[in-house]
Amino acid sequence: MGGYHSLLALGTFGAVLVQACAPVRLSPPQSARTVADSPGDPWRPERAAVVAQINGARAELSLPPLAYDSTLERVGDLHCRILIDEGGDGHFSRGGVPPYLRYLLAGGSGFHGENVGSYSTTGTVADSALARILSTSVEDMLAEVPPNDGHRRSLLDPWVTNVGVGLAVRGGEVRMTHELATEVTQSWAPPPSAAAPGTLMSLSGRLAKPWQPEAVEVLWEELPRPLSDARLRTIRAYGYPERRSMFQANRSSSPNSTPAFTVDGFGSFRYRWATGPHEGVEIVLLWARHGEGRQLVPVAVSGTVVVAKAELPPELALWQGLGGSTTHP
């Protein structure tokens, strides 16, 4: 493979925003497994090798393997194609739609995170070299050390359950994402993806045992706005939006009020609320406890775009058609 090439690996979300960069080191790919065949996908073996490499690293730490999720893959694929179209290399394209919102609009319900890797060369990426390029990217992420180890922590998060490998290759450009999600819902009835201000809403469902719902956190941010090239070059990490409110299970906010978030004896939960008075994006984040553990973990998310016409803008509706059959653990 001739010509100039570089690899940039961008940080993932988290309780603390993380940013990272990694150099390229070419090395042989790992063996492929866990990703089902998909007609028309020329990169299925390469995706499978990436998943095997990640799960191999998790096995070394006695962590459970990640299940492959086709919705996560489709979300990652589209983002990668847009990045190549625009000459970008990060979590955001010029449309300004954050990673978690892309996933939620596509029908996802897990707590989502994303790693991004970018490779460029003045030549053309040969088919025989692609697996090695992707393997090197994963190797570099797994080799990170604190405090600049956001990629490694996201891949080795013990609570993450699902992964999809987004991929696009064109000429000398390669973009790869690891779309990661904690998915432990047994049933899930989310609110609509778009609603007018002041609309009454409901979110309900049930988690797989031994997860127990404990609280919901309501987050809010402004509607996505187009980003300039200068702004895109400065973004090397991202996070979920700021908290607007939080409700604990079966607890009233005032002495004479009904709890907004309820959980029954079977573990089924329901949260009722009204969208805010202003346009924006409302995120409802479900926190749960695993068995007898005390740690609260974000395990499920819903997203509603609050707009006067109660219709998704075209730049957001683009992501809505990506849902479909999904492989779960």
Side-chain angles (χ1 to χ4, degrees):
M1 180 186 333
Y4 170 79
H5 55 267
S6 64
L7 179 74
L8 176 64
L10 298 179
T12 186
F13 83 101
V16 178
L17 298 183
V18 179
Q19 58 185 13
C21 291
V24 101
R25 295 194 307 272
L26 301 184
S27 59
Q30 303 293 315
S31 59
R33 61 181 174 88
T34 75
V35 181
D37 290 336
S38 177
D41 181 3
W43 305 312
R44 187 59 46 184
E46 287 80 4
R47 296 184 206 263
V50 168
V51 176
Q53 191 174 0
I54 294 170
N55 280 338
R58 292 177 64 87
E60 291 178 2
L61 298 177
S62 299
L63 297 173
L66 302 179
Y68 202 75
D69 188 312
S70 57
T71 296
L72 289 169
E73 177 187 295
R74 287 190 289 269
V75 171
D77 278 356
L78 180 53
H79 181 56
C80 288
R81 291 197 297 270
I82 293 173
L83 288 180
I84 290 182
D85 288 342
E86 297 180 353
D89 59 11
H91 295 296
F92 291 83
S93 63
R94 290 175 186 155
V97 184
Y100 49 84
L101 185 54
R102 300 194 293 260
Y103 167 66
L104 293 175
L105 290 173
S109 61
F111 186 63
H112 175 267
E114 178 184 80
N115 287 338
V116 180
S118 175
Y119 181 91
S120 298
T121 178
T122 55
T124 298
V125 174
D127 292 343
S128 58
L130 181 59
R132 189 170 53 185
I133 291 169
L134 302 182
S135 174
T136 295
S137 179
V138 177
E139 283 181 2
D140 289 343
M141 292 178 183
L142 291 171
E144 291 172 347
V145 295
N148 298 316
D149 61 339
H151 306 103
R152 183 178 187 277
R153 286 189 289 111
S154 67
L155 295 176
L156 302 180
D157 185 331
W159 303 120
V160 169
T161 60
N162 291 20
V163 65
V165 179
L167 190 59
V169 183
R170 188 183 309 157
E173 300 294 330
V174 178
R175 301 293 184 271
M176 175 178 65
T177 67
H178 307 144
E179 307 287 339
L180 302 155
T182 301
E183 178 58 83
V184 298
T185 55
Q186 280 191 334
S187 64
W188 181 254
S193 57
T199 302
L200 295 178
M201 307 285 274
S202 175
L203 167 67
S204 61
R206 187 174 63 255
L207 302 181
K209 296 296 184 183
W211 288 99
Q212 177 66 26
E214 293 288 343
V216 291
E217 186 177 13
V218 182
L219 317 176
W220 184 88
E221 63 183 348
E222 294 183 351
L223 293 173
R225 297 179 178 178
L227 301 173
S228 66
D229 288 347
R231 173 64 180 137
L232 286 171
R233 285 193 293 270
T234 66
I235 300 175
R236 287 297 178 265
Y238 75 98
Y240 275 73
E242 294 183 359
R243 177 194 298 178
R244 172 168 280 182
S245 56
M246 190 165 188
F247 301 91
Q248 293 181 309
N250 301 324
R251 293 192 183 182
S252 302
S253 57
S254 61
N256 297 320
S257 64
T258 301
F261 178 53
T262 58
V263 180
D264 67 19
F266 300 98
S268 296
F269 60 85
R270 182 181 297 274
Y271 171 56
R272 297 181 178 91
W273 77 104
T275 56
H278 306 295
E279 292 192 331
V281 179
E282 287 190 353
I283 305 291
V284 177
L285 181 59
L286 177 65
W287 292 82
R289 179 170 44 83
H290 188 265
E292 298 301 320
R294 300 182 62 183
Q295 180 182 357
L296 291 185
V297 180
V299 297
V301 189
S302 76
T304 299
V305 178
V306 181
V307 284
K309 294 183 178 181
E311 296 180 358
L312 288 175
E315 62 272 18
L316 297 181
L318 170 71
W319 300 94
Q320 198 173 30
L322 297 180
S325 60
T326 302
T327 303
H328 290 289

